[in-house]
Amino acid sequence: MPQDPSDTVRLQPDGTIGGNRPGPPPVPTGTPAAPDETQVIGARVPADGPTAEPADADPPHDATQHIAPVTAEAQHLSPARDAAPHDATQHLTPVPGGPPSVPGDGPGGPPSAPAGEDGHWWRRRAVLVPAGAVLALAAVYGVDLLASGDDVPRGTVVAGVELGGLSPASAAARLESDLAPRVAADRTVQAGDVQGMLHPASAGLALDVPATVDAVDDQPLNPLTRLTSLFGDRAADPVLTSDQPALTAQLDQLATTVDRPPVDASIEIDGTTPRLVEPADGRTLDRAGAAQALTAALSSGADPATPVELPVTVATPRVATAEAQRVLDAVVTPALAAPVSVAGSPGGSPVELPPSAIAASLTFTPADDGTLAVAVDPAALQDAMGGDLAVFGSPAQDARFEVSGDTVSVVPSVDGQGIDPADLAAQLMPVLDDPAPRSVTPALGPVPAAFTTEQAQALGIREKVSDFTTRFTNTASGTNIRVVAEEVDGALVRPGETFSLNDYTGPRGTAQGYVPAAVISRGELSQAVGGGISQFATTMFNAVFFAGLEDVFHKPHSFYISRYPAGREATVYEGQIDLQWRNDTETGIYVQTEWVPGALTVSFWGTRYYEIESVSGERRNAREPAVQEKVDDGNCTPQSGSTGFDITVTRVFKDLTSGAELRREDFDTRYAAEAVIRCVPPPAPEPAPAAPGAEQPPATTSAPAPPTPAGRRPGHRAATAPRTHRRRR
């Protein structure tokens, strides 16, 4: 209902509220009424705009504000007003000479909007333009991300193969066709001055296509990354599969031709002619660095014809050339210039020590301080003289062991009479650099044996400790096994000593009676002098195993060989791979070897301390062999291949009396998968091009076409051919 004008209160200029006042005086006739500048706050505005209230209009410059009452006592609370409690009207009359007053306006209120602009801050141009740009970029980013979908991000390049924008299936197909062959191709490797060939498949290295696609097909969410991909490539590395045992096997095979110890400057004597040996750096293949270099080369997709440089570690020699030259000039040359006379008992005839015997007995030992020490080996001197010193008496004979059936006995030593070789060597050294004539007079007397009966008996060698037998069929390998067995037969290893197969036999070349036989080199069968020695190493290792002796070093074959017990075998290579074991008991070990055509037995004699049991675990982590096709150029040897696997063999030590278990020792072995090699014939040569002007043979040998009937154009329908009439409908 309308508000009673009598309830209106007025705000006086001094801030007080006045009482009821009559309405403003009427406007004089003929004078235009001033615009109604009254502002209604909180009032509802009709759709057709505000209406003037003449009864309440104030003079143009009346600064009085009409404020509707807000208390129950000052206003009538009608039902309509109760329905709209916030419809309280304030009539604000403008202040003379200024804009209308707005509640809250002043120093603490918000600034008024500039002319011509909306007063809301979010509609200002300085805010709208950046906000619009951000929204536009966000829209572009979203559209770009949605458009990319599951495809490989644009600009993606893997080892030179462009995959950007391809679906995962298409990317996998392109990797298979463009990159996988390059990764699988044979690689030439260079380590120092040694070149070799790496077969990635045999080394267990291959391109993992699914993993590579999975690694690169995720769309980047970083807006900056997506923006930069419009202008450049995104390089990614391929994912390779790796079989560590197979790769290690390949590197070990390569290392046999790369690794070499440093050579100290020394002196070598051929007969009686000395020669200076120049020093040379040693080197060792850096296995870890080589694996990284090979992996990097395969990952880069580089040309397989480009050699891969493998890192090596260099070791410098201790003795320099100047020191060896000094020894040659000051000692060796004078020593071999003339014989030395050896006088015996008074009145007896002297024995001449020739330069050849002196040369055979001289030794040269490099020292850590860089000097080259010269000495005379008494045993070598006695061997070089043979029976010539027997005129002064009889030589001594050392004690030895003799096996007969299942027993071993000591053959007693025999003392000699005459010149002691050790005394002769000691007297010979000071006169070697003297000018001729030269002579020495060693003392005559009993010559004790170097290894006496008492010493032999104290070693406690009285029973068989262990033995092991392996069999072979290859004749050449059998020859090499026989030669090495003869060298090792009778070896005596005292308590605490370490036996080294390479050190004990020395060089194993043609001069020592070895012949070429089959070996495994770089994962393939080939021929080398001394092939088959690994079978002797395997047989001896098993004798060590069942004797309960300490395994110092042994290296299993890279690939499993079925004639050997899995996880209980060893390989050797002269100068590189050795078999070493230690006699960690309190008694000695006497080594007996027995060779017969097709079989080898190695037996250890000494004192038994344990009952040894071998427990073989299950074969696990099977690795299937790769398949290679090689052009048969006359050197290709086919291989059936073998599955790689891991196995653990446990050596169980038991008490001899009670059989109680004392301790266990595990031997873990990883065999690489030996590749299947198929020898294929070389491609047929292309026919030579025909000489210019020569008549070319017909393109085919099929029956000639029937002659064309006379009077008929080629391709013309024969007269007897039926005609087909087509009726028009």
Side-chain angles (χ1 to χ4, degrees):
M1 60 182 300
Q3 184 177 345
D4 189 355
S6 63
D7 293 335
T8 302
V9 294
R10 297 183 179 275
L11 182 66
Q12 300 297 330
D14 59 357
T16 61
I17 298 177
N20 295 336
R21 292 175 54 186
V27 180
T29 304
T31 303
D36 187 4
E37 297 179 355
T38 304
Q39 296 183 6
V40 181
I41 299 178
R44 295 174 179 172
V45 181
D48 57 351
T51 58
E53 298 181 8
D56 291 328
D58 289 333
H61 300 291
D62 186 2
T64 306
Q65 296 182 354
H66 302 276
I67 302 178
V70 295
T71 61
E73 294 82 359
Q75 62 183 341
H76 299 283
L77 301 178
S78 63
R81 191 171 184 84
D82 294 339
H86 297 290
D87 190 14
T89 303
Q90 292 184 353
H91 300 276
L92 300 181
T93 304
V95 180
S101 300
V102 179
D105 195 7
S112 59
E117 294 188 11
D118 196 288
H120 299 292
W121 64 270
W122 59 84
R123 298 183 181 176
R124 297 179 184 176
R125 185 176 304 161
V127 175
L128 290 178
V129 172
V134 170
L135 291 176
L137 291 176
V140 172
Y141 171 83
V143 171
D144 180 52
L145 189 60
L146 291 176
S148 300
D150 295 332
D151 293 345
V152 177
R154 60 173 167 266
T156 300
V157 178
V158 176
V161 178
E162 296 183 0
L163 303 180
L166 298 179
S167 66
S170 299
R174 182 168 294 183
L175 288 174
E176 287 283 4
S177 61
D178 295 357
L179 184 57
R182 277 187 283 158
V183 174
D186 290 348
R187 299 273 174 165
T188 300
V189 294
Q190 184 83 34
D193 58 356
V194 174
Q195 268 199 352
M197 187 67 66
L198 172 81
H199 309 289
S202 297
L205 298 173
L207 176 65
D208 191 337
V209 173
T212 301
V213 174
D214 185 62
V216 301
D217 66 352
D218 291 336
Q219 290 288 334
L221 300 180
N222 189 325
L224 182 59
T225 302
R226 302 191 66 84
L227 179 62
T228 56
S229 68
L230 294 171
F231 310 102
D233 292 336
R234 170 179 172 247
D237 292 330
V239 179
L240 303 181
T241 61
S242 176
D243 185 350
Q244 192 59 42
L247 179 58
T248 300
Q250 287 275 306
L251 294 177
D252 286 343
Q253 291 289 341
L254 179 63
T256 59
T257 58
V258 175
D259 293 355
R260 66 186 184 196
V263 177
D264 290 297
S266 187
I267 298 167
E268 204 172 66
I269 303 176
D270 183 9
T272 58
T273 303
R275 181 182 66 86
L276 184 69
V277 177
E278 294 290 343
D281 290 339
R283 68 183 177 209
T284 304
L285 179 66
D286 181 358
R287 265 63 161 196
Q292 293 177 358
L294 290 170
T295 303
L298 296 178
S299 299
S300 68
D303 184 2
T306 303
V308 181
E309 294 287 341
L310 303 183
V312 296
T313 303
V314 177
T316 58
R318 292 171 293 178
V319 180
T321 303
E323 170 63 11
Q325 187 66 52
R326 182 193 66 80
V327 172
L328 176 62
D329 296 339
V331 180
V332 178
T333 300
L336 303 181
V340 176
S341 178
V342 180
S345 59
S349 299
V351 174
E352 188 176 78
L353 197 63
S356 59
I358 299 174
S361 64
L362 288 179
T363 62
F364 307 96
T365 305
D368 292 336
D369 60 358
T371 59
L372 188 64
V374 184
V376 175
D377 182 4
L381 180 61
Q382 187 175 26
D383 291 342
M385 292 298 296
D388 293 345
L389 296 179
V391 296
F392 302 113
S394 58
Q397 297 179 7
D398 291 339
R400 58 188 178 86
F401 295 93
E402 187 176 80
V403 176
S404 178
D406 292 334
T407 61
V408 60
S409 59
V410 176
V411 178
S413 62
V414 177
D415 290 340
Q417 186 71 28
I419 298 176
D420 186 352
D423 183 46
L424 176 60
Q427 293 201 30
L428 187 61
M429 273 302 303
V431 304
L432 288 181
D433 55 354
D434 292 345
R438 302 173 295 187
S439 64
V440 293
T441 307
L444 297 178
V447 180
F451 183 53
T452 65
T453 303
E454 292 75 19
Q455 291 173 327
Q457 292 172 341
L459 289 177
I461 298 174
R462 60 176 181 265
E463 61 185 338
K464 182 182 289 188
V465 177
S466 66
D467 62 0
F468 199 78
T469 300
T470 59
R471 303 187 182 280
F472 52 88
T473 57
N474 186 280
T475 302
S477 296
T479 298
N480 294 328
I481 295 171
R482 175 182 55 80
V483 173
V484 70
E486 291 175 351
E487 288 191 71
V488 178
D489 186 37
L492 180 63
V493 185
R494 293 174 171 82
E497 289 184 344
T498 296
F499 176 89
S500 164
L501 183 60
N502 285 349
D503 290 346
Y504 194 88
T505 63
R508 296 190 291 263
T510 55
Q512 289 76 32
Y514 294 91
V515 298
V519 296
I520 298 177
S521 178
R522 301 186 182 95
E524 299 179 12
L525 291 175
S526 60
Q527 295 282 314
V529 174
I533 304 301
S534 292
Q535 177 146 353
F536 180 86
T538 292
T539 311
M540 174 172 271
F541 173 76
N542 277 272
V544 172
F545 184 96
F546 288 104
L549 300 174
E550 179 184 347
D551 171 41
V552 176
F553 178 83
H554 86 281
K555 183 184 183 305
H557 286 83
S558 303
F559 313 109
Y560 173 61
I561 301 175
S562 59
R563 67 177 180 270
Y564 300 149
R568 273 198 350 251
E569 46 88 14
T571 183
V572 291
Y573 192 90
E574 182 183 338
Q576 304 298 332
I577 304 173
D578 198 6
L579 171 65
Q580 298 177 2
W581 53 272
R582 178 175 174 268
N583 180 8
D584 56 347
T585 69
E586 298 178 354
T587 52
I589 292 292
Y590 176 73
V591 180
Q592 178 197 17
T593 65
E594 297 174 279
W595 182 94
V596 296
L600 167 71
T601 300
V602 175
S603 302
F604 284 179
W605 298 82
T607 299
R608 294 184 65 201
Y609 290 89
Y610 312 102
E611 183 72 36
I612 299 296
E613 179 184 356
S614 177
V615 179
S616 295
E618 295 292 331
R619 299 184 183 186
R620 60 189 187 277
N621 302 330
R623 292 175 282 275
E624 294 302 318
V627 179
Q628 300 180 22
E629 289 189 349
K630 300 191 64 178
V631 175
D632 191 358
D633 56 357
N635 296 320
C636 180
T637 302
Q639 293 179 185
S640 58
S642 63
T643 302
F645 59 90
D646 300 345
I647 190 170
T648 299
V649 175
T650 302
R651 179 163 64 167
V652 182
F653 295 77
K654 296 182 177 180
D655 184 77
L656 287 174
T657 304
S658 64
E661 181 176 323
L662 301 176
R663 59 188 175 93
R664 291 182 171 229
E665 182 180 13
D666 289 339
F667 293 82
D668 295 319
T669 305
R670 301 191 67 187
Y671 291 110
E674 184 181 18
V676 176
I677 297 181
R678 299 171 181 167
C679 299
V680 298
E686 296 182 0
E695 183 178 354
Q696 299 295 328
T700 63
T701 59
S702 59
T708 303
R712 177 183 164 208
R713 298 189 305 273
H716 190 272
R717 179 175 53 83
T720 58
R723 292 188 177 184
T724 302
H725 298 276
R726 179 174 297 175
R727 179 180 297 175
R728 296 193 179 189
R729 298 193 177 189

